């Protein structure tokens, strides 16, 4: 969802479950149990794919590469061709926050995979992302669940209250704890959403009844060949999520762009678990702006108004030439720590060791970083906007009016780096 509207595509399958080597996750397309989940039976329409080495003892990037190879080994030749793509600018920048399916993304669709393939795919994502509660892989699984809530909202016209915009901080650290651990087992829904909006979704806008939402409409690609010596990118995302992690010679050279948004901002599942995928991001920004004095707020106030993030999809390299807001060097030591705490939830999308290194870099650059805001600072109204802009780090958080859950806000955010986007592989004018 954004200022522009992209034609939606229908999902080929709904999410069925993630199990086995990955901590099991049961997500439900539209909040309903799936009776026609695909099986592990191959159709035989394609030749067997190339087999790649798997090292079960590998660590760090080696473990990510091994998991990528393990996933590729579950695919036939045609499927491998969908996943293994050139690390080109066109492929790397093919991500979006819109529910536009394969029309704006590269890679293989999760909904087309068997249970075993799906478990292997998500193992790669899990190993490549952070382990924190409410960040990294935990946040990613919650964003996919949110898409199923939207799918359910489109599938029902029954009356019911919309979810609230705030949530308890006690969201489960492991949203998949009740799922099956057998990768060949059929999944059973345990968290079908009960909070759905009144009436039908808006026509003509994002959603529009065209089936553009759902956790099965997410895509995974490897741009370049996964290895501990070469350059390649893990490219994963769908509606309201874009993960782009670039590896060079066995190290992460860039963990951005990372787009994450959510609608609804929070909801409660049937088992009583409350999910609020962007709670840590929102809380960090609220604590930061709340610490500013009246005089500091006046300095931090931006002259522009914002209906979306500036550097979303298709806006690569378009950083403002002049930094705006209040310079962090003028803040107190406690306020400076709040800036770093506000930055961290976005950086935590990448593996913990890389996140720690990036945070050290951003701490070193802190005095040359700026904080700005537009609209209000409560982050509960259309146009409320906060930005952190440093020599490296760039983070935006903006509130928009809900499109499916009308009358409620939803969030768009993006993390970029002035020099490290896509591993510094491309130059944008």
């Amino acid at each position: 969802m954004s200022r522009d509207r992209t034609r939606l595509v229908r999902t080929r399958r709904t999410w069925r479950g993630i199990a086995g080597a990955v901590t099991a996750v049961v997500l439900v397309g539209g909040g309903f149990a799936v009776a026609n989940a695909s099986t592990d039976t191959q159709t035989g329409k394609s030749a067997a794919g190339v087999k790649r080495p798997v090292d079960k003892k590998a660590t760090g990037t080696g473990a990510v590469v091994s998991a990528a190879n393990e996933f590729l080994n579950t695919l036939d030749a045609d499927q491998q061709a969908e996943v293994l793509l050139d690390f080109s600018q066109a492929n790397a920048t093919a991500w979006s926050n819109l529910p536009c399916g394969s029309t704006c993304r590269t890679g293989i669709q999760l909904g087309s995979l068997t249970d075993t393939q799906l478990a292997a795919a998500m193992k790669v994502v899990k190993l490549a992302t952070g382990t924190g509660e409410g960040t990294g892989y935990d946040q990613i699984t919650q964003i996919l669940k949110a898409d199923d809530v939207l799918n359910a909202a489109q599938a029902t016209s029954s009356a019911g209250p919309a979810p609230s915009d705030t949530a308890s901080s006690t969201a489960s650290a492991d949203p998949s704890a009740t799922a099956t651990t057998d990768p060949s087992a059929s999944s059973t829904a345990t968290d079908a959403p009960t909070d759905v909006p009144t009436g039908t979704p808006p026509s003509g806008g994002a959603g529009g009844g065209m089936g553009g939402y759902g956790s099965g409409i997410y895509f995974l690609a490897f741009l370049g060949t996964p290895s501990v010596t070469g350059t390649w990118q893990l490219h994963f995302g769908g509606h309201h999520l874009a993960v782009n992690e670039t590896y060079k010679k066995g190290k992460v050279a860039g963990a951005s762009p990372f787009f994450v948004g959510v609608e609804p901002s929070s909801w409660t599942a049937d088992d009583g678990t409350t999910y609020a995928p962007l709670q840590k991001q929102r809380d960090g920004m609220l604590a930061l702006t709340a610490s500013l004095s009246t005089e500091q707020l006046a300095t931090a106030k931006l002259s522009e108004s914002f209906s979306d993030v500036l550097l979303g999809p298709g806006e690569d390299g378009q950083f403002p030439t002049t930094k705006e807001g209040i310079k962090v060097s003028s803040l107190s030591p406690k306020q400076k720590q709040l800036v770093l705490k506000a930055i961290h939830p976005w950086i935590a999308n990448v593996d913990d060791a890389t996140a720690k290194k990036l945070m050290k870099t951003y701490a070193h650059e802190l005095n040359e970083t700026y904080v700005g805001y537009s609209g209000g600072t409560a982050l509960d109204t259309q146009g409320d906007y906060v930005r952190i802009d440093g020599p490296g780090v760039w983070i935006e958080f903006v509130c928009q009016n809900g499109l499916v859950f009308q009358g409620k806000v939803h969030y768009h955010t993006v993390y970029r780096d002035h020099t490290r986007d896509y591993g510094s592989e491309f130059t944008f004018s």
Side-chain angles (χ1 to χ4, degrees):
M1 293 173 282
S2 78
R3 294 163 289 186
D4 297 322
R5 297 290 177 256
T6 301
R7 189 167 185 82
L8 310 180
V9 295
R10 291 187 180 274
T11 178
R12 289 177 284 174
R13 296 224 182 130
T14 50
W15 179 275
R16 301 172 315 283
I18 303 169
V22 185
T23 301
V25 176
V26 172
L27 301 177
V28 181
F32 302 103
V34 179
N36 61 339
S38 65
T39 68
D40 292 325
T41 303
Q42 296 296 323
T43 64
K45 293 182 179 180
S46 174
V50 175
K51 295 301 179 182
R52 291 169 168 79
V54 174
D55 181 1
K56 298 288 188 179
K57 297 181 180 180
T59 59
T61 300
V64 178
V65 172
S66 181
N69 286 342
E70 187 175 7
F71 169 57
L72 290 168
N73 287 346
T74 70
L75 306 179
D76 63 31
D78 287 346
Q79 290 175 313
Q80 287 187 0
E82 287 186 74
V83 176
L84 284 169
L85 304 171
D86 292 336
F87 189 14
S88 65
Q89 183 169 316
N91 285 335
T93 59
W95 59 270
S96 178
N97 59 275
L98 293 169
C100 48
S102 62
T103 65
C104 60
R105 297 180 181 90
T106 58
I108 195 166
Q109 185 173 324
L110 297 189
S112 71
L113 302 176
T114 68
D115 292 335
T116 297
Q117 292 169 336
L118 182 60
M122 295 309 294
K123 180 181 178 181
V124 183
V125 178
K126 184 175 184 179
L127 288 174
T129 53
T131 62
E133 179 181 348
T135 61
Y137 185 73
D138 180 38
Q139 182 180 64
I140 286 170
T141 60
Q142 291 189 50
I143 294 300
L144 271 64
K145 284 176 179 283
D147 240 27
D148 285 331
V149 174
L150 288 178
N151 195 20
Q154 289 195 120
T156 181
S157 58
S158 60
S164 64
D165 285 327
T166 58
S168 167
S169 60
T170 59
S172 171
D174 181 7
S176 58
T178 60
T180 176
T181 57
D182 180 0
S184 63
S186 175
S187 301
T188 301
T190 60
D191 60 352
T194 57
D195 295 332
V196 295
T198 301
T200 57
S203 61
M210 296 183 66
Y213 305 119
S215 52
I217 317 178
Y218 280 69
F219 297 78
L220 175 64
F222 304 141
L223 308 185
T225 302
S227 75
V228 295
T229 57
T231 299
W232 64 285
Q233 183 188 98
L234 172 64
H235 189 84
F236 176 74
H239 174 234
H240 275 170
L241 180 69
V243 176
N244 297 282
E245 296 185 6
T246 306
Y247 296 84
K248 290 184 180 181
K249 298 180 179 179
K251 296 181 179 180
V252 177
S256 59
F258 172 57
F259 185 101
V260 61
V262 69
E263 182 181 5
S265 59
S266 67
W267 72 96
T268 301
D270 271 354
D271 64 0
T273 302
T274 295
Y275 295 99
L278 265 68
Q279 191 74 27
K280 286 187 179 292
Q281 276 92 340
R282 183 175 185 268
D283 286 352
M285 290 300 200
L286 287 175
L288 171 57
T289 56
S291 77
L292 301 178
S293 67
T294 300
E295 181 179 356
Q296 288 172 326
L297 283 170
T299 303
K301 185 78 172 182
L302 303 174
S303 59
E304 308 98 322
S305 60
F306 301 89
S307 61
D308 204 350
V309 296
L310 281 180
L311 298 186
E315 301 296 333
D316 300 292
Q318 303 305 304
F319 298 97
T321 56
T322 302
K323 295 190 183 301
E324 301 177 89
I326 188 168
K327 198 172 184 180
V328 176
S329 61
S330 69
L331 303 182
S332 70
K334 288 185 178 179
Q335 289 174 317
K336 290 179 181 179
Q337 288 303 307
L338 288 175
V339 176
L340 289 175
K341 288 181 179 180
I343 291 171
H344 181 261
W346 280 274
I347 313 310
N349 81 92
V350 74
D351 70 90
D352 298 343
T354 300
K356 186 176 181 179
K357 292 178 182 178
L358 282 169
M359 287 303 299
K360 285 184 177 179
T361 297
Y362 297 150
H364 179 73
E365 299 173 346
L366 194 60
N367 283 336
E368 298 303 314
T369 299
Y370 287 72
V371 175
Y373 78 97
S374 181
T377 58
L379 297 179
D380 61 2
T381 303
Q382 166 83 14
D384 286 358
Y385 172 92
V386 183
R387 177 197 303 170
I388 298 175
D389 181 15
V393 68
W394 170 279
I395 289 171
E396 298 177 81
F397 187 113
V398 68
C399 294
Q400 293 186 329
N401 287 330
L403 294 182
V404 174
F405 291 91
Q406 297 184 47
K408 300 291 183 178
V409 297
H410 77 279
Y411 309 136
H412 280 187
T413 85
V414 71
Y415 156 56
R416 287 185 178 265
D417 189 292
H418 285 263
T419 62
R420 297 175 182 84
D421 275 4
Y422 308 107
S424 310
E425 283 294 297
F426 311 114
T427 300
F428 302 98
S429 57

